[in-house]
Amino acid sequence: MNEAIRPEPVEPSIGMPRQLSVVVPTFNERDNVVALYRKLTAALKGIAWEVIYVDDNSPDGTSDVVRELAAVDPRVRCIRRVGRRGLSGACIEGILASSAPCAAVMDADLQHDETRLPAMLALLESNAADLVVGSRYIEGGSADSFDKQRAGFSMLATSVARKLLRIEIADPMSGFFMIRRDRFERLAPELSTQGFKILLDVIATARGALRVTEVPYTFGSRLHGESKLDSMVALDFLGLVLAKLTHDAVSLRFLLFALVGSVGVVVHFAGLFVAHEVLAWPFPHSQAFGAILAMTSNFLLNNLLTYRDQRLKGLGILRGLLIFYLVCSVGLLANVGVAFSVYNQEPIWWLAGAAGALMGVVWNYAVSSLFVWRRR
């Protein structure tokens, strides 16, 4: 085996029942896999542990490196996900696939402090807590490595989460935590598989049923690769907060779909105005132009935002667009039909219009999920 991925000498604890499963979601983390493995080996001496790398089909061959490690060290496992993307979903699958009573979640980018894991495990095993959070914002913790933009978003998101969702801990946006697996399994059916903030989702879903303790740690600097946090994280966060405020009556993905639909309304009227008032087209032609423009923009935005974990590419975009046109055309008929039905019973135009619009967006969302962005 290549010297770079040769495992450390096997400890006696390797044959013991697992105490801790470390779940590491990865995407293009080939250069960090072995480094993290070595850090875990050093930090968890005397503890029976395993590490589960959950890889979202990284094109850089991350899963190949994990499998080479797993071939010589049974404490290393690889879950390769095809057709699925997202940190939250990866964490959920990894924890549910773990074999230990306690599961930790940490990033592969070496920014989380693995030396805090034994102390976190001790708190769970002593029954002092159900969930232990690695916190950057309590005494002894630090996030000095953040740039101004990320620091600003983190502080704003933390403030919003604490005020709107009444979450009391100092760092609900942390990606470094440990939880008893039996507690997590009770919550798992209600968790969102989209987005990045799995800890926030866990705490909000538990609604005070978890005993939470925070331990300080210093957030480090990434050595290899690029951050998975892009400009879409803010939308994910907003959708998650709204979903939890409605007690999960609607999903995060549906909220994003509806948000894109509201943008489509603006696009529709802008297209209608330009065609009818500027170009002097007849109204039916202008209305059709606005509708097609809105459907096209909705499709592109949904492909970019709402379904970015199942994003269509190449010829799939054209095929998906044509199906989306068909779906939305039927949705328009449903919209009009419901609106007329409501108006006949209660002739209030805005109520009838809202009922029709709601029917249309529900239809479009449901059928689009089945036929346009279906899981492959």
Side-chain angles (χ1 to χ4, degrees):
M1 171 175 286
N2 189 302
E3 180 68 26
I5 58 175
R6 183 174 298 162
E8 301 293 333
V10 175
E11 298 180 42
S13 62
I14 197 170
M16 297 168 55
R18 299 281 185 254
Q19 295 172 262
L20 174 64
S21 297
V22 181
V23 175
V24 183
T26 61
F27 183 72
N28 287 343
E29 298 284 2
R30 179 186 180 92
D31 294 334
N32 291 328
V33 167
V34 175
L36 178 60
Y37 164 79
R38 293 190 182 282
K39 284 178 174 288
L40 291 174
T41 300
L44 298 175
K45 288 187 182 297
I47 295 173
W49 59 278
E50 66 175 353
V51 57
I52 304 172
Y53 292 91
V54 186
D55 185 60
D56 284 357
N57 200 29
S58 299
D60 75 342
T62 297
S63 60
D64 295 332
V65 178
V66 177
R67 287 196 183 98
E68 288 187 60
L69 277 175
V72 294
D73 190 337
R75 295 176 297 183
V76 180
R77 296 168 57 193
C78 178
I79 297 176
R80 181 184 175 191
R81 307 199 309 164
V82 177
R84 304 192 301 286
R85 287 284 300 277
L87 187 146
S88 291
C91 293
I92 293 170
E93 290 190 38
I95 295 176
L96 295 181
S98 65
S99 62
C102 300
V105 169
M106 63 186 303
D107 292 344
D109 55 19
L110 311 180
Q111 293 178 298
H112 293 154
D113 185 0
E114 75 288 340
T115 65
R116 304 299 290 152
L117 290 173
M120 297 165 77
L121 179 63
L123 287 167
L124 293 187
E125 291 187 327
S126 66
N127 201 34
D130 301 313
L131 170 65
V132 182
V133 178
S135 178
R136 300 158 293 187
Y137 303 131
I138 62 174
E139 186 176 355
S142 172
D144 291 343
S145 63
F146 275 1
D147 58 33
K148 290 184 179 180
Q149 180 180 1
R150 188 168 180 183
F153 172 74
S154 181
M155 293 181 64
L156 176 62
T158 296
S159 177
V160 170
R162 295 182 69 180
K163 290 179 180 178
L164 293 184
L165 299 180
R166 298 181 181 180
I167 292 174
E168 299 301 327
I169 69 170
D171 195 0
M173 309 305 290
S174 177
F176 182 36
F177 64 92
M178 189 182 297
I179 189 170
R180 296 194 61 86
R181 184 164 52 82
D182 58 347
R183 306 295 195 276
F184 185 86
E185 287 181 344
R186 295 173 194 169
L187 301 172
E190 300 179 57
L191 299 177
S192 171
T193 58
Q194 284 85 52
F196 284 78
K197 298 306 175 185
I198 178 68
L199 174 64
L200 176 63
D201 196 3
V202 167
I203 296 174
T205 300
R207 300 183 182 92
L210 293 175
R211 295 170 299 153
V212 185
T213 298
E214 293 182 88
V215 298
Y217 86 100
T218 298
F219 192 82
S221 299
R222 168 178 279 273
L223 298 181
H224 302 288
E226 297 179 358
S227 173
K228 309 301 180 295
L229 301 180
D230 56 26
S231 58
M232 301 303 119
V233 173
L235 280 177
D236 282 336
F237 171 72
L238 177 62
L240 179 59
V241 170
L242 291 174
K244 293 307 170 185
L245 284 175
T246 62
H247 298 286
D248 298 303
V250 291
S251 71
L252 186 156
R253 199 188 293 276
F254 176 78
L255 287 169
L256 286 176
F257 191 92
L259 180 62
V260 168
S262 66
V263 173
V265 172
V266 175
V267 172
H268 178 102
F269 279 105
L272 175 61
F273 175 81
V274 170
H276 190 259
E277 298 298 324
V278 179
L279 301 178
W281 289 4
F283 181 79
H285 297 75
S286 301
Q287 177 73 350
F289 174 75
I292 292 174
L293 195 63
M295 286 190 288
T296 304
S297 68
N298 281 1
F299 171 80
L300 295 175
L301 285 174
N302 278 316
N303 196 51
L304 178 67
L305 306 177
T306 312
Y307 294 96
R308 71 180 187 276
D309 58 325
Q310 299 164 241
R311 188 173 295 165
L312 302 174
K313 299 179 181 179
L315 292 177
I317 294 179
L318 179 59
R319 175 183 175 277
L321 178 60
L322 294 176
I323 297 176
F324 191 73
Y325 284 155
L326 179 61
V327 166
C328 291
S329 297
V330 178
L332 179 61
L333 295 177
N335 181 330
V336 173
V338 169
F340 269 114
S341 176
V342 171
Y343 191 81
N344 286 335
Q345 297 180 47
E346 191 70 42
I348 303 175
W349 69 267
W350 61 266
L351 178 63
L358 179 60
M359 181 63 211
V361 73
V362 170
W363 168 270
N364 290 342
Y365 172 72
V367 180
S368 292
S369 297
L370 285 174
F371 297 106
V372 182
W373 288 282
R374 66 182 185 276
R375 295 216 176 263
R376 296 176 293 279

